[in-house]
Amino acid sequence: MWNYTDKVKEHFFNPKNSGVLDDANAVGEVGSITCGDALKLMMKVDADTQLIREAKFQTFGCGSAIASSSALTEMIIGKTVDEALTLTNRDIAEYLGGLPPEKMHCSVMGAEALRAAIANYKGEAWEDDHEEGELVCKCFGVDAAMIERAVTVNGLTTLEEVTHYTKAGGSCQTCHEKIEEVLEEVLAKSGALKPAARHAPGTVGLDAIKPLAPKAEAPAAPKLTNVQRMQAIMTAIEEMRPQIRRDGGDVELVDIDGKDIYVRLSGACSGCSQSAGTMMGVQMKLVEALGEFVRVKPASLMTAGV
Amino acid sequence: MTKGIYLDNNATTRVDPEVLAEMLPLFTEQFGNPSSMHGFGAAVGGKIEWARKQVQALLGAAHDSEIVFTSGGTESDNTAILSALEAYPKKREIVTSVVEHPAVLSFCDHLEKKRGYTVHRIPVDRRGNLDMEAYRAALSERVAIVSIMWANNETGTIFPVEELAVLAKAAGAVFHTDAVQAVGKIPMTLADSAIDMLSLSGHKLHAPKGIGALYVKRGLRFRPLLRGGHQERSRRAGTENAPGIVGLGAAAQLALLHMGEENTRVRALRDTLERAILAAVPNCFVTGNPDNRLPNTCNIAFEYIEGEAILLLLNEQGIAASSGSACTSGSLEPSHVMRAMGVPYTAAHGATRFSLSRETTEEEIDRVIAVVPGIIEKLRSFSPYWQADAGRPKEFAPVYS
């Protein structure tokens, strides 16, 4: 369980301003269901004063995403659009008394939604802003501009920090190199710390997992009748007997109960330390002969009435 | 808050009071080192052998000497895989599934990246069933070990391990199964099976954490992971965790005793919970194979909301469950199991696992049934993907989607 502050919990359990604002004149939508976080921020801006009179949100996401959205609305109501534009994700996190590092991306989503909503109010195309910056992380739809803002505002210096704050690079990891390039650029501009060491590329393991595509039903194998099945079992066992007899033992079919085939080992096989191996050999032979899975069991395991 | 309702038993279970009672003397009166040549040690040694027999009985193993005590599931899994690779050094391939526990998957990743082994990860279908065609195709004389779980920890889906083992043996490979979730919940008779090795973990069956076992079939070529002293017949060096071992023995005994209950009463409770939630909540479904799974597990994917938020609201009501959602783990993607089954993102993030135990009561289930629909409704009421008044999903296409 994450160690959330009381303020985060308060905004999560009793979110302020959740729901739809019907006559909103500023709407910002960011995030995606793929990345597990999405936010729709709706605001009513007074055209004369530029004051944000009302703000509501709808959020798909974790506790801190919902809390960040709720906090954001509380923070911007009563501010002018320009005042609101000065808010950063760090302000949202601070308002909440802090967020776990892995959850800072929730506050970034809030700040991004605010920018999108204001762009929408001003009639600017937010998508253009998005396209200006190269889309770095395709899994989470994070562009270079967003990484740059997160790095600058929060003083980030490593790839891991960028992932915590923006989610970029948190999935297939193929964009790690690109993220580091953006990071290097920003740090070079600001003359700040050296960038993090390069992350080894590679997408083996969990990240390489792709869902199995649905496929057509395989044609069913011709089904044996009960009599054919019984004959196949008897024939397979008969074929094995000479070999077993050569070793001084024997095997006989006792009964067939669905997938359970009961046999009796005798002679040298009875009580032999290798009898489990012999049983296994019989099982494999039968599985092969029948084209289905069966269990070969000693007759001693037969329940009464079988 | 009322007394907590614990439905996260696939994560860990409460130590049974009877188990604890068996363990306590091992901390105080019977504290000897079982390797010591005096009475203090001998008393403990006897208890360990008693525990070994209990685990043997639970697994239906032919010999008590086939049980090697370890620190838990992860050590057992790692040991099994490494043992087979070292015992058959010319075989450079491993077969596993995409839905294994990280104790197997991450270790296989490591072996692939650092030691150059080829790993075949067998996919599953939408219900979590193993692709048998791909499995058969992956088997060859190059495969040293097949490691496939008996039952999945998230969905409870059971794999046909007996059949998988027979096929693996026919190809000349060692067969190991991570049965951490299955042991104690479904009957097993390893003596009659082709299974070479099996991992189990104590804390999943009301024993303490930090104790587990590896079943090693008699006659199997084995190489230890931990080398040092001659404990566990030189198959696992290190002074025995005697209290843990005795606890595991007692837990195994109880598990065998309660196996019937697990498969009847607990299963019925699980089904009641599941039916009620599915009936009361729109847009949710059971993940995995509902017809072939552990009796205690149900994993329901609630569409258009996120798992951590569900867990936080459940927790507020004193209910503990689990989520495969990204945000609970600190990673950013939904669980690899949901992804492997192709569960759409709209639902994978909201997958919630309720796992019962023999301690779960009818009253607890009734309480959960009463609480869940309201929680889902509340979260959906402010989800941008949900049209609250119409009670159905709506289109939402944000700029970063």
Side-chain angles (χ1 to χ4, degrees):
Chain A
M1 182 75 59
W2 300 103
N3 192 15
Y4 285 138
T5 65
D6 289 341
K7 199 80 181 282
V8 172
K9 287 184 202 158
E10 179 195 323
H11 278 272
F12 169 69
F13 288 119
N14 300 296
K16 315 284 188 293
N17 311 307
S18 66
V20 178
L21 188 58
D22 285 326
D23 45 356
N25 57 359
V27 178
E29 297 178 349
V30 293
S32 81
I33 200 139
T34 309
C35 76
D37 276 327
L39 166 59
K40 181 177 183 179
L41 176 68
M42 294 151 278
M43 308 190 299
K44 203 183 286 177
V45 181
D46 187 315
D48 297 329
T49 61
Q50 297 292 295
L51 277 173
I52 299 169
R53 295 280 185 204
E54 279 183 75
K56 284 197 159 197
F57 76 91
Q58 287 182 299
T59 295
F60 164 84
C62 59
S64 53
I66 291 166
S68 294
S69 308
S70 168
L72 171 68
T73 56
E74 288 285 88
M75 292 168 79
I76 58 176
I77 291 172
K79 282 196 167 61
T80 65
V81 167
D82 286 341
E83 284 167 348
L85 262 180
T86 64
L87 288 179
T88 65
N89 73 291
R90 185 163 283 273
D91 295 323
I92 298 172
E94 277 170 14
Y95 181 90
L96 289 168
L99 285 169
E102 296 85 349
K103 297 286 187 175
M104 283 300 286
H105 60 80
C106 297
S107 65
V108 173
M109 183 170 72
E112 293 293 315
L114 176 63
R115 284 171 198 286
I118 292 174
N120 171 256
Y121 171 70
K122 290 179 173 174
E124 294 166 1
W126 176 249
E127 290 89 340
D128 287 346
D129 177 44
H130 188 245
E131 283 169 7
E132 269 170 18
E134 185 191 2
L135 192 62
V136 175
C137 172
K138 288 177 183 159
C139 301
F140 294 115
V142 181
D143 63 14
M146 186 172 167
I147 294 174
E148 206 174 315
R149 275 197 294 278
V151 169
T152 310
V153 170
N154 300 286
L156 311 182
T157 56
T158 66
L159 168 67
E160 288 71 24
E161 285 176 338
V162 172
T163 303
H164 284 157
Y165 278 67
T166 65
K167 284 194 169 192
S171 182
C172 78
Q173 305 177 4
T174 51
C175 61
H176 279 189
E177 209 168 333
K178 275 188 183 175
I179 294 173
E180 283 170 356
E181 280 170 18
V182 177
L183 194 57
E184 270 176 41
E185 258 176 53
V186 180
L187 294 174
K189 261 192 248 170
S190 66
L193 300 166
K194 283 202 295 187
R198 283 194 183 277
H199 194 278
T203 56
V204 292
L206 297 183
D207 298 308
I209 294 168
K210 295 282 178 292
L212 183 65
K215 54 183 169 187
E217 291 270 313
K223 202 169 181 311
L224 299 177
T225 64
N226 283 340
V227 173
Q228 286 171 330
R229 192 168 175 268
M230 193 167 77
Q231 280 171 342
I233 293 168
M234 290 167 72
T235 307
I237 290 180
E238 281 307 314
E239 282 173 7
M240 293 194 78
R241 288 180 84 178
Q243 166 74 38
I244 295 172
R245 281 179 176 153
R246 269 199 295 278
D247 294 337
D250 203 354
V251 57
E252 61 175 319
L253 175 68
V254 177
D255 205 349
I256 304 169
D257 180 21
K259 289 200 175 300
D260 294 335
I261 317 286
Y262 293 95
V263 300
R264 181 175 292 117
L265 296 179
S266 54
C269 289
S270 173
C272 166
S273 63
Q274 302 301 314
S275 64
T278 308
M279 298 286 279
M280 201 57 65
V282 175
Q283 174 161 329
M284 283 182 198
K285 178 86 177 166
L286 290 180
V287 169
E288 201 177 308
L290 296 172
E292 61 170 303
F293 177 67
V294 291
R295 291 181 195 83
V296 170
K297 297 183 171 179
S300 57
L301 286 182
M302 280 169 59
T303 50
V306 169
Chain B
M1 199 160 80
T2 51
K3 182 179 165 284
I5 298 172
Y6 187 76
L7 296 184
D8 198 12
N9 288 282
N10 283 13
T12 197
T13 53
R14 185 175 82 112
V15 173
D16 191 295
E18 286 186 45
V19 170
L20 181 65
E22 288 290 338
M23 290 172 64
L24 285 175
L26 277 293
F27 290 103
T28 49
E29 295 93 28
Q30 297 161 352
F31 59 87
N33 186 330
S35 299
S36 300
M37 298 300 291
H38 47 59
F40 289 92
V44 178
K47 288 236 169 183
I48 288 177
E49 292 320 307
W50 170 83
R52 204 182 303 278
K53 286 192 191 309
Q54 306 314 311
V55 176
Q56 176 204 352
L58 179 62
L59 299 181
H63 313 280
D64 60 359
S65 57
E66 293 175 323
I67 310 301
V68 181
F69 290 114
T70 66
S71 67
T74 298
E75 186 194 316
S76 296
D77 287 343
N78 279 221
T79 303
I81 294 169
L82 211 58
S83 167
L85 296 179
E86 287 195 3
Y88 299 93
K90 288 184 181 162
K91 299 186 175 204
R92 303 284 300 169
E93 295 186 11
I94 302 167
V95 174
T96 186
S97 85
V98 293
V99 294
E100 295 301 308
H101 187 275
V104 169
L105 268 187
S106 295
F107 191 52
C108 287
D109 288 353
H110 172 77
L111 292 167
E112 186 176 50
K113 276 192 273 193
K114 302 288 181 190
R115 304 199 192 173
Y117 286 96
T118 299
V119 179
H120 302 273
R121 299 175 182 82
I122 309 302
V124 296
D125 67 14
R126 290 178 183 279
R127 292 199 149 189
N129 302 306
L130 203 70
D131 183 344
M132 293 300 286
E133 209 178 298
Y135 178 69
R136 283 196 183 88
L139 293 174
S140 74
E141 73 282 359
R142 298 183 301 278
V143 175
I145 181 164
V146 174
S147 179
I148 294 197
M149 61 189 359
W150 197 309
N152 184 263
N153 48 318
E154 291 190 28
T155 62
T157 298
I158 295 171
F159 283 155
V161 281
E162 290 172 296
E163 181 177 357
L164 298 174
V166 168
L167 293 169
K169 299 299 292 172
V174 172
F175 185 85
H176 163 253
T177 181
D178 173 351
V180 162
Q181 290 297 342
V183 168
K185 292 173 189 154
I186 52 177
M188 292 175 182
T189 316
L190 296 186
D192 292 337
S193 80
I195 295 166
D196 291 312
M197 288 189 276
L198 173 147
S199 299
L200 67 92
S201 179
H203 75 104
K204 308 287 188 185
L205 55 141
H206 303 281
K209 296 159 189 67
I211 184 68
L214 178 65
Y215 160 83
V216 182
K217 198 180 264 305
R218 180 179 280 186
L220 183 75
R221 219 183 275 182
F222 183 81
R223 300 286 183 273
L225 173 70
L226 299 184
R227 293 167 187 271
H230 297 293
Q231 294 88 353
E232 297 296 284
R233 297 171 178 233
S234 296
R235 289 180 298 184
R236 201 273 186 182
T239 300
E240 295 88 341
N241 170 7
I245 290 171
V246 170
L248 178 58
Q253 197 181 34
L254 289 173
L256 205 51
L257 192 68
H258 292 289
M259 188 85 73
E261 183 188 357
E262 187 88 37
N263 282 280
T264 51
R265 192 188 71 85
V266 175
R267 182 189 293 272
L269 278 182
R270 187 271 315 267
D271 291 345
T272 302
L273 171 71
E274 192 169 279
R275 271 197 300 271
I277 292 177
L278 293 181
V281 180
N283 291 80
C284 67
F285 58 90
V286 175
T287 69
N289 185 346
D291 303 322
N292 183 26
R293 60 182 160 147
L294 297 174
N296 77 319
T297 309
C298 106
N299 189 311
I300 301 180
F302 297 100
E303 290 191 291
Y304 311 110
I305 49 176
E306 204 273 339
E308 189 210 88
I310 299 170
L311 294 193
L312 288 171
L313 289 177
L314 282 171
N315 186 58
E316 188 68 2
Q317 297 289 329
I319 299 165
S322 171
S323 165
S325 90
C327 276
T328 50
S329 63
S331 74
L332 303 169
E333 285 269 295
S335 94
H336 67 288
V337 178
M338 294 300 131
R339 285 177 65 203
M341 292 192 299
V343 174
Y345 279 101
T346 48
H349 287 290
T352 305
R353 181 185 71 190
F354 302 94
S355 45
L356 289 64
S357 83
R358 60 178 186 251
E359 296 184 335
T360 308
T361 66
E362 202 176 326
E363 292 71 33
E364 289 176 334
I365 293 300
D366 288 344
R367 170 90 183 121
V368 178
I369 291 170
V371 160
V372 167
I375 286 175
I376 305 303
E377 197 181 335
K378 176 178 176 173
L379 290 173
R380 281 180 176 164
S381 75
F382 45 79
S383 166
Y385 296 103
W386 186 256
Q387 203 167 344
D389 48 349
R392 59 188 163 78
K394 66 174 177 180
E395 271 192 30
F396 174 67
V399 287
Y400 291 153
S401 63

